[in-house]
Amino acid sequence: MAEWIIQERPWDDPAGAALRAEQVAELDARYGGEEHEPGAAPSADDVDVFLVAERDGAPVGCGALRRLDGSSAEIKRMYVTPPARGTGVATALLRALERHAAGRGWPRLRLETGTEQPDARRFYEREGYRQIPLFGVYQGSELSVCYERTIS
């Protein structure tokens, strides 16, 4: 089986848009509705980096960075299709996002995941992210769980 290729793409890239739509559908199913993301959804206006992973020409994952301040960014729209889970593509995407953040001088990465995403929580914990108090728009959310990691 061929390895994946990770490329930076524009936010409106069709493969990326399809992956994000799959993610939203999965989250809607997990949470039983559409009310599971506090704050404004990421957009072309506020996403600094958007990556798409492909294997054998098919999109299998994506992830984005949204700058929070001069030294930190938030990981957004991290998603891997169910057939590609467990292949290492999520870790490769996460490391690529971390490299992009480091290259922009953002050593602190934060993210929000949710109470109905134990697989995501295990993944981030395994990859060195530590749970932190809810930050920003996630403060007060009963569905949010936030993480942070400082990269070198």
Side-chain angles (χ1 to χ4, degrees):
M1 184 183 289
E3 286 298 306
W4 47 83
I5 295 170
I6 298 173
Q7 297 177 319
E8 188 169 358
R9 304 267 182 94
W11 181 254
D12 61 357
D13 173 75
L19 288 164
R20 292 192 310 272
E22 284 181 43
Q23 180 189 38
V24 168
E26 181 177 323
L27 293 175
D28 288 352
R30 285 187 186 212
Y31 289 92
E34 298 177 0
E35 298 298 319
H36 50 76
E37 182 176 17
S43 70
D45 293 332
D46 68 359
V47 167
D48 297 273
V49 175
F50 182 60
L51 304 179
V52 172
E54 290 186 347
R55 173 174 276 165
D56 298 326
V60 296
C62 63
L65 292 175
R66 177 163 61 186
R67 185 174 64 88
L68 293 172
D69 56 40
S71 64
S72 64
E74 181 180 5
I75 296 171
K76 296 297 293 180
R77 293 304 184 261
M78 181 79 176
Y79 177 71
V80 172
T81 60
R85 293 176 187 167
T87 67
V89 70
T91 301
L93 266 168
L94 185 61
R95 295 297 173 252
L97 288 170
E98 291 170 349
R99 285 191 299 278
H100 279 272
R104 286 168 169 73
W106 305 331
R108 186 176 66 188
L109 288 176
R110 289 184 159 187
L111 64 96
E112 181 264 355
T113 187
T115 56
E116 301 304 311
Q117 296 165 260
D119 45 347
R121 294 176 65 185
R122 284 190 304 272
F123 169 73
Y124 290 117
E125 290 168 7
R126 185 184 76 228
E127 296 303 321
Y129 286 74
R130 65 178 177 82
Q131 191 171 338
I132 60 170
L134 300 179
F135 67 93
V137 297
Y138 311 113
Q139 292 176 354
S141 169
E142 295 180 7
L143 300 176
S144 295
V145 181
C146 293
Y147 288 89
E148 179 179 279
R149 180 170 183 225
T150 300
I151 55 175
S152 53

Short mmCIF file of all heavy atoms in Angstrom, two decimals, residues 82-128:
data_model
loop_
_atom_site.label_atom_id
_atom_site.label_comp_id
_atom_site.label_asym_id
_atom_site.label_seq_id
_atom_site.Cartn_x
_atom_site.Cartn_y
_atom_site.Cartn_z
N PRO A 82 -12.65 7.06 8.46
CA PRO A 82 -12.62 5.80 9.21
C PRO A 82 -11.72 4.72 8.61
O PRO A 82 -10.97 4.08 9.36
CB PRO A 82 -14.10 5.39 9.26
CG PRO A 82 -14.82 6.72 9.27
CD PRO A 82 -14.02 7.58 8.32
N PRO A 83 -11.71 4.48 7.28
CA PRO A 83 -10.83 3.42 6.77
C PRO A 83 -9.33 3.70 6.96
O PRO A 83 -8.53 2.77 6.97
CB PRO A 83 -11.17 3.35 5.28
CG PRO A 83 -12.49 4.00 5.13
CD PRO A 83 -12.58 5.02 6.23
N ALA A 84 -8.97 4.98 7.11
CA ALA A 84 -7.56 5.33 7.25
C ALA A 84 -7.11 5.44 8.71
O ALA A 84 -5.92 5.63 8.98
CB ALA A 84 -7.28 6.65 6.53
N ARG A 85 -8.04 5.29 9.64
CA ARG A 85 -7.66 5.36 11.06
C ARG A 85 -6.81 4.16 11.42
O ARG A 85 -7.03 3.06 10.94
CB ARG A 85 -8.92 5.45 11.93
CG ARG A 85 -9.63 6.76 11.69
CD ARG A 85 -10.93 6.89 12.44
NE ARG A 85 -11.59 8.12 11.98
CZ ARG A 85 -12.84 8.42 12.24
NH1 ARG A 85 -13.59 7.61 12.97
NH2 ARG A 85 -13.35 9.54 11.77
N GLY A 86 -5.82 4.41 12.27
CA GLY A 86 -4.91 3.35 12.69
C GLY A 86 -3.76 3.11 11.73
O GLY A 86 -2.96 2.20 11.95
N THR A 87 -3.64 3.92 10.69
CA THR A 87 -2.56 3.73 9.70
C THR A 87 -1.37 4.64 9.95
O THR A 87 -0.36 4.52 9.26
CB THR A 87 -3.08 4.01 8.28
OG1 THR A 87 -3.41 5.40 8.16
CG2 THR A 87 -4.27 3.14 7.93
N GLY A 88 -1.50 5.59 10.88
CA GLY A 88 -0.43 6.54 11.14
C GLY A 88 -0.63 7.88 10.46
O GLY A 88 0.14 8.82 10.69
N VAL A 89 -1.64 8.01 9.64
CA VAL A 89 -1.86 9.27 8.93
C VAL A 89 -2.22 10.40 9.89
O VAL A 89 -1.80 11.55 9.69
CB VAL A 89 -2.89 9.13 7.79
CG1 VAL A 89 -4.28 8.93 8.31
CG2 VAL A 89 -2.82 10.34 6.86
N ALA A 90 -2.96 10.11 10.96
CA ALA A 90 -3.31 11.17 11.92
C ALA A 90 -2.06 11.72 12.58
O ALA A 90 -1.91 12.94 12.72
CB ALA A 90 -4.28 10.63 12.97
N THR A 91 -1.17 10.85 12.98
CA THR A 91 0.09 11.30 13.59
C THR A 91 0.91 12.11 12.59
O THR A 91 1.47 13.16 12.94
CB THR A 91 0.89 10.10 14.12
OG1 THR A 91 0.09 9.40 15.07
CG2 THR A 91 2.18 10.55 14.78
N ALA A 92 0.97 11.66 11.35
CA ALA A 92 1.72 12.39 10.33
C ALA A 92 1.11 13.77 10.10
O ALA A 92 1.84 14.77 9.97
CB ALA A 92 1.76 11.59 9.03
N LEU A 93 -0.21 13.87 10.05
CA LEU A 93 -0.88 15.17 9.90
C LEU A 93 -0.59 16.08 11.09
O LEU A 93 -0.28 17.26 10.92
CB LEU A 93 -2.39 14.97 9.79
CG LEU A 93 -3.00 14.89 8.41
CD1 LEU A 93 -4.45 14.41 8.49
CD2 LEU A 93 -2.92 16.21 7.68
N LEU A 94 -0.68 15.53 12.30
CA LEU A 94 -0.43 16.31 13.49
C LEU A 94 1.00 16.85 13.50
O LEU A 94 1.23 18.03 13.79
CB LEU A 94 -0.71 15.47 14.74
CG LEU A 94 -0.60 16.20 16.07
CD1 LEU A 94 -1.60 17.35 16.16
CD2 LEU A 94 -0.81 15.22 17.21
N ARG A 95 1.96 16.00 13.17
CA ARG A 95 3.37 16.44 13.13
C ARG A 95 3.58 17.49 12.05
O ARG A 95 4.34 18.45 12.25
CB ARG A 95 4.31 15.26 12.92
CG ARG A 95 4.33 14.26 14.04
CD ARG A 95 4.84 14.86 15.36
NE ARG A 95 4.68 13.91 16.44
CZ ARG A 95 3.78 14.02 17.42
NH1 ARG A 95 2.97 15.05 17.48
NH2 ARG A 95 3.68 13.11 18.35
N ALA A 96 2.90 17.37 10.92
CA ALA A 96 3.01 18.38 9.87
C ALA A 96 2.44 19.71 10.36
O ALA A 96 3.03 20.78 10.12
CB ALA A 96 2.31 17.91 8.60
N LEU A 97 1.31 19.68 11.05
CA LEU A 97 0.75 20.91 11.61
C LEU A 97 1.72 21.52 12.62
O LEU A 97 1.90 22.74 12.65
CB LEU A 97 -0.60 20.63 12.26
CG LEU A 97 -1.75 20.34 11.30
CD1 LEU A 97 -2.97 19.83 12.07
CD2 LEU A 97 -2.12 21.57 10.48
N GLU A 98 2.32 20.68 13.45
CA GLU A 98 3.28 21.18 14.43
C GLU A 98 4.48 21.83 13.74
O GLU A 98 4.97 22.88 14.20
CB GLU A 98 3.75 20.04 15.34
CG GLU A 98 2.65 19.55 16.28
CD GLU A 98 3.00 18.28 17.03
OE1 GLU A 98 4.01 17.62 16.69
OE2 GLU A 98 2.24 17.93 17.95
N ARG A 99 4.96 21.26 12.66
CA ARG A 99 6.08 21.87 11.92
C ARG A 99 5.68 23.22 11.33
O ARG A 99 6.45 24.18 11.39
CB ARG A 99 6.56 20.93 10.80
CG ARG A 99 7.38 19.76 11.30
CD ARG A 99 8.07 19.01 10.16
NE ARG A 99 7.14 18.43 9.20
CZ ARG A 99 6.50 17.28 9.34
NH1 ARG A 99 6.70 16.53 10.43
NH2 ARG A 99 5.68 16.84 8.41
N HIS A 100 4.48 23.30 10.79
CA HIS A 100 4.00 24.58 10.26
C HIS A 100 3.90 25.62 11.38
O HIS A 100 4.26 26.79 11.19
CB HIS A 100 2.65 24.41 9.57
CG HIS A 100 2.76 23.89 8.17
ND1 HIS A 100 2.94 24.71 7.09
CD2 HIS A 100 2.73 22.63 7.69
CE1 HIS A 100 3.01 23.98 5.98
NE2 HIS A 100 2.88 22.71 6.32
N ALA A 101 3.40 25.21 12.55
CA ALA A 101 3.29 26.14 13.68
C ALA A 101 4.67 26.61 14.12
O ALA A 101 4.90 27.81 14.33
CB ALA A 101 2.55 25.47 14.84
N ALA A 102 5.60 25.69 14.24
CA ALA A 102 6.96 26.05 14.65
C ALA A 102 7.59 27.01 13.65
O ALA A 102 8.25 27.98 14.04
CB ALA A 102 7.81 24.80 14.81
N GLY A 103 7.36 26.76 12.37
CA GLY A 103 7.90 27.62 11.34
C GLY A 103 7.34 29.03 11.36
O GLY A 103 7.95 29.96 10.83
N ARG A 104 6.17 29.20 11.98
CA ARG A 104 5.56 30.52 12.09
C ARG A 104 5.82 31.15 13.46
O ARG A 104 5.29 32.21 13.77
CB ARG A 104 4.05 30.42 11.84
CG ARG A 104 3.73 30.20 10.37
CD ARG A 104 2.27 29.81 10.18
NE ARG A 104 1.88 29.84 8.78
CZ ARG A 104 2.25 28.95 7.87
NH1 ARG A 104 3.05 27.96 8.21
NH2 ARG A 104 1.84 29.06 6.61
N GLY A 105 6.61 30.47 14.29
CA GLY A 105 6.92 31.00 15.60
C GLY A 105 5.81 30.83 16.62
O GLY A 105 5.68 31.63 17.54
N TRP A 106 5.00 29.78 16.47
CA TRP A 106 3.92 29.49 17.40
C TRP A 106 4.25 28.21 18.17
O TRP A 106 3.84 27.12 17.78
CB TRP A 106 2.60 29.30 16.67
CG TRP A 106 2.20 30.44 15.78
CD1 TRP A 106 2.50 31.75 15.92
CD2 TRP A 106 1.41 30.34 14.59
NE1 TRP A 106 1.94 32.48 14.91
CE2 TRP A 106 1.26 31.64 14.07
CE3 TRP A 106 0.79 29.28 13.92
CZ2 TRP A 106 0.54 31.90 12.91
CZ3 TRP A 106 0.08 29.55 12.77
CH2 TRP A 106 -0.05 30.84 12.27
N PRO A 107 4.99 28.31 19.27
CA PRO A 107 5.40 27.09 19.98
C PRO A 107 4.30 26.42 20.80
O PRO A 107 4.43 25.27 21.19
CB PRO A 107 6.53 27.58 20.89
CG PRO A 107 6.21 29.02 21.13
CD PRO A 107 5.57 29.52 19.85
N ARG A 108 3.20 27.14 21.06
CA ARG A 108 2.13 26.56 21.86
C ARG A 108 0.94 26.24 20.96
O ARG A 108 0.42 27.11 20.27
CB ARG A 108 1.71 27.52 22.97
CG ARG A 108 0.69 26.89 23.92
CD ARG A 108 0.34 27.80 25.05
NE ARG A 108 -0.35 28.96 24.49
CZ ARG A 108 -0.66 30.05 25.18
NH1 ARG A 108 -0.33 30.15 26.43
NH2 ARG A 108 -1.31 31.04 24.60
N LEU A 109 0.54 24.98 20.99
CA LEU A 109 -0.63 24.54 20.23
C LEU A 109 -1.73 24.14 21.20
O LEU A 109 -1.49 23.43 22.18
CB LEU A 109 -0.28 23.36 19.32
CG LEU A 109 0.58 23.71 18.12
CD1 LEU A 109 0.96 22.46 17.36
CD2 LEU A 109 -0.15 24.69 17.21
N ARG A 110 -2.93 24.59 20.89
CA ARG A 110 -4.10 24.25 21.68
C ARG A 110 -5.13 23.62 20.75
O ARG A 110 -5.09 23.81 19.54
CB ARG A 110 -4.70 25.49 22.33
CG ARG A 110 -3.85 26.04 23.44
CD ARG A 110 -4.51 27.19 24.12
NE ARG A 110 -3.94 27.35 25.44
CZ ARG A 110 -4.40 28.19 26.35
NH1 ARG A 110 -5.45 28.94 26.09
NH2 ARG A 110 -3.82 28.27 27.53
N LEU A 111 -6.07 22.92 21.35
CA LEU A 111 -7.15 22.34 20.58
C LEU A 111 -8.32 22.04 21.48
O LEU A 111 -8.18 21.96 22.70
CB LEU A 111 -6.70 21.07 19.86
CG LEU A 111 -6.29 19.89 20.74
CD1 LEU A 111 -7.45 18.92 20.94
CD2 LEU A 111 -5.11 19.18 20.13
N GLU A 112 -9.47 21.90 20.84
CA GLU A 112 -10.69 21.50 21.53
C GLU A 112 -11.20 20.25 20.85
O GLU A 112 -11.21 20.14 19.62
CB GLU A 112 -11.73 22.62 21.43
CG GLU A 112 -13.04 22.30 22.13
CD GLU A 112 -14.12 21.73 21.22
OE1 GLU A 112 -13.91 21.66 19.99
OE2 GLU A 112 -15.17 21.32 21.72
N THR A 113 -11.56 19.29 21.66
CA THR A 113 -12.27 18.11 21.18
C THR A 113 -13.46 17.96 22.11
O THR A 113 -13.77 18.88 22.86
CB THR A 113 -11.34 16.88 21.11
OG1 THR A 113 -12.04 15.80 20.47
CG2 THR A 113 -10.83 16.44 22.46
N GLY A 114 -14.13 16.84 22.06
CA GLY A 114 -15.36 16.78 22.84
C GLY A 114 -15.52 15.55 23.70
O GLY A 114 -14.79 14.57 23.58
N THR A 115 -16.51 15.63 24.54
CA THR A 115 -16.79 14.56 25.49
C THR A 115 -17.20 13.27 24.78
O THR A 115 -17.00 12.18 25.33
CB THR A 115 -17.93 14.99 26.43
OG1 THR A 115 -19.08 15.36 25.65
CG2 THR A 115 -17.51 16.16 27.31
N GLU A 116 -17.75 13.37 23.57
CA GLU A 116 -18.18 12.18 22.83
C GLU A 116 -17.13 11.72 21.82
O GLU A 116 -17.46 11.00 20.88
CB GLU A 116 -19.51 12.46 22.12
CG GLU A 116 -20.64 12.84 23.07
CD GLU A 116 -20.87 11.81 24.17
OE1 GLU A 116 -20.97 10.61 23.84
OE2 GLU A 116 -20.93 12.20 25.35
N GLN A 117 -15.89 12.12 22.04
CA GLN A 117 -14.80 11.74 21.14
C GLN A 117 -13.64 11.12 21.94
O GLN A 117 -12.52 11.62 21.92
CB GLN A 117 -14.32 12.97 20.36
CG GLN A 117 -15.38 13.53 19.45
CD GLN A 117 -15.03 14.92 18.97
OE1 GLN A 117 -15.52 15.91 19.50
NE2 GLN A 117 -14.16 15.00 17.97
N PRO A 118 -13.90 10.02 22.62
CA PRO A 118 -12.84 9.41 23.43
C PRO A 118 -11.64 8.96 22.60
O PRO A 118 -10.50 8.98 23.09
CB PRO A 118 -13.53 8.23 24.12
CG PRO A 118 -14.71 7.92 23.24
CD PRO A 118 -15.14 9.25 22.67
N ASP A 119 -11.88 8.60 21.36
CA ASP A 119 -10.78 8.19 20.48
C ASP A 119 -9.84 9.37 20.21
O ASP A 119 -8.62 9.22 20.25
CB ASP A 119 -11.31 7.61 19.17
CG ASP A 119 -12.46 8.42 18.56
OD1 ASP A 119 -13.03 9.32 19.23
OD2 ASP A 119 -12.81 8.15 17.40
N ALA A 120 -10.41 10.54 19.97
CA ALA A 120 -9.59 11.74 19.76
C ALA A 120 -8.84 12.11 21.03
O ALA A 120 -7.64 12.45 20.98
CB ALA A 120 -10.46 12.91 19.31
N ARG A 121 -9.49 12.01 22.17
CA ARG A 121 -8.84 12.34 23.43
C ARG A 121 -7.65 11.41 23.68
O ARG A 121 -6.56 11.87 24.04
CB ARG A 121 -9.84 12.27 24.58
CG ARG A 121 -10.91 13.36 24.43
CD ARG A 121 -11.98 13.27 25.47
NE ARG A 121 -11.40 13.51 26.79
CZ ARG A 121 -12.08 13.41 27.92
NH1 ARG A 121 -13.36 13.07 27.90
NH2 ARG A 121 -11.51 13.65 29.08
N ARG A 122 -7.83 10.12 23.44
CA ARG A 122 -6.72 9.16 23.61
C ARG A 122 -5.58 9.49 22.66
O ARG A 122 -4.41 9.43 23.01
CB ARG A 122 -7.20 7.73 23.38
CG ARG A 122 -7.99 7.14 24.53
CD ARG A 122 -8.23 5.64 24.34
NE ARG A 122 -8.90 5.32 23.08
CZ ARG A 122 -10.22 5.29 22.92
NH1 ARG A 122 -11.02 5.54 23.95
NH2 ARG A 122 -10.75 4.97 21.77
N PHE A 123 -5.92 9.82 21.42
CA PHE A 123 -4.91 10.15 20.42
C PHE A 123 -4.06 11.34 20.87
O PHE A 123 -2.83 11.27 20.87
CB PHE A 123 -5.57 10.44 19.07
CG PHE A 123 -4.64 11.03 18.05
CD1 PHE A 123 -3.67 10.25 17.44
CD2 PHE A 123 -4.72 12.37 17.72
CE1 PHE A 123 -2.79 10.80 16.50
CE2 PHE A 123 -3.86 12.92 16.78
CZ PHE A 123 -2.89 12.14 16.18
N TYR A 124 -4.71 12.44 21.24
CA TYR A 124 -3.95 13.63 21.62
C TYR A 124 -3.11 13.38 22.88
O TYR A 124 -1.97 13.83 22.96
CB TYR A 124 -4.87 14.84 21.80
CG TYR A 124 -5.42 15.32 20.48
CD1 TYR A 124 -6.78 15.30 20.22
CD2 TYR A 124 -4.58 15.78 19.48
CE1 TYR A 124 -7.28 15.73 19.00
CE2 TYR A 124 -5.06 16.21 18.26
CZ TYR A 124 -6.42 16.18 18.02
OH TYR A 124 -6.91 16.60 16.81
N GLU A 125 -3.66 12.67 23.84
CA GLU A 125 -2.89 12.35 25.04
C GLU A 125 -1.67 11.51 24.69
O GLU A 125 -0.57 11.75 25.19
CB GLU A 125 -3.79 11.66 26.07
CG GLU A 125 -4.81 12.62 26.66
CD GLU A 125 -5.90 11.95 27.46
OE1 GLU A 125 -5.83 10.72 27.70
OE2 GLU A 125 -6.85 12.67 27.86
N ARG A 126 -1.86 10.54 23.83
CA ARG A 126 -0.74 9.69 23.40
C ARG A 126 0.33 10.51 22.68
O ARG A 126 1.53 10.21 22.77
CB ARG A 126 -1.26 8.58 22.48
CG ARG A 126 -0.18 7.57 22.08
CD ARG A 126 -0.69 6.54 21.09
NE ARG A 126 -0.76 7.15 19.77
CZ ARG A 126 -1.79 7.07 18.94
NH1 ARG A 126 -2.87 6.38 19.26
NH2 ARG A 126 -1.76 7.66 17.76
N GLU A 127 -0.08 11.54 21.98
CA GLU A 127 0.84 12.37 21.20
C GLU A 127 1.44 13.52 22.00
O GLU A 127 2.08 14.40 21.43
CB GLU A 127 0.16 12.89 19.94
CG GLU A 127 -0.25 11.78 18.98
CD GLU A 127 0.93 10.91 18.55
OE1 GLU A 127 2.03 11.45 18.32
OE2 GLU A 127 0.73 9.69 18.44
N GLY A 128 1.25 13.52 23.32
CA GLY A 128 1.93 14.49 24.17
C GLY A 128 1.14 15.73 24.52
O GLY A 128 1.69 16.67 25.11
#
